[in-house]
Amino acid sequence: MSGYELCIDVGSNFTTIYKRGSGIVLREPSLILIENNAKNIKVCKIGLEAQKVNGKNASNQTFVKPVIEGVIKNVELTQKMVLYFINKVVKYKLVKPNIKIIVSIPTSLTSAQYEDYKTVFYSIGFAKIDFVYNCVCASLADLPYFSMGKANLLVNIGGGKTEISAIVNNKIINACSLNVGGNLIDKCIAEHLQKTKNYIISNNIACKIKQEIGSLYETDKSNLEIIVQNGDTNSPIQTIITAQELIKPIYENYFKILQTIQAFLNQCSQEVAQDIRNDGIILYGGGSLITGLEKFFKKILQLSVFVVDKPEILGVVGSEKLFSNYSLLESVIEEN
């Protein structure tokens, strides 16, 4: 019987699967298109296939995000989504392969929310399942500015929330989270443009604008030509959005994250805080890709700030060391 070793991160916006020895083998939207009828709910499309028809669905069809802010909101739909994604990367004809899986989970889960993760993954029937905190898995990646034996601060700015974790030798010393992430920023951008320009756009369009020209540089001259709905005439118009028009909602949300980091450092012991001030903080997650973030945080926090390469997948790539070192996996689970 063939075997697979996979690490899966079911995020609010994307589900990512890492395969030992192969790297990232899947990254698709955590999105499901369902059809409602009198008798039951039918799953029509999942992941990329659902994203392709976003905004083009029938009146009896609804888009669902089964995971919001790292919390499973619909166990049954999450099960179907995870199984669909696993079947895309695990190829077999007659004999189901032996699948060992590490599930990358948020640090902020309650015991009930953690049980929902267990329900989803145990029901699918994997050979072995281990749950590892996302920040711990990230800390195992080969980062040049990560110091073993000292306290390191990892800040994961995701789609649904931001998680802040102080880690020493793969063990979480302290952690906190706040419900500020990419999705909230998209919503705030859409609301800001409606309030200031009377432009009506979806959160998806706001996300596209943010990704194209979003910036924390007050002098950024970037702009984007885009079609929006005019709130006065309810008709589509072509207009130009500038980076400076977005600075207020972007700045306000990242400043909330920054304030939480400051408060977190103030609550750490002197020894932990000193390590972090000496070595800086590590930013990852899709929300860390915003232009100017490193300099913005560095200027106010007065310490070194690093955004890792490919920050959106860091929470799974460290699993390679866990698959190759079972004693390390055991100790990581036991200590956290």
Side-chain angles (χ1 to χ4, degrees), residues 118-129:
K118 290 168 66 175
T119 298
V120 166
F121 285 92
Y122 286 148
S123 67
I124 297 175
F126 299 114
K128 188 176 187 300
I129 306 170

Side-chain angles (χ1 to χ4, degrees), residues 232-243:
D232 295 323
T233 63
N234 288 325
S235 59
I237 60 169
Q238 193 159 329
T239 188
I240 294 177
I241 305 293
T242 68

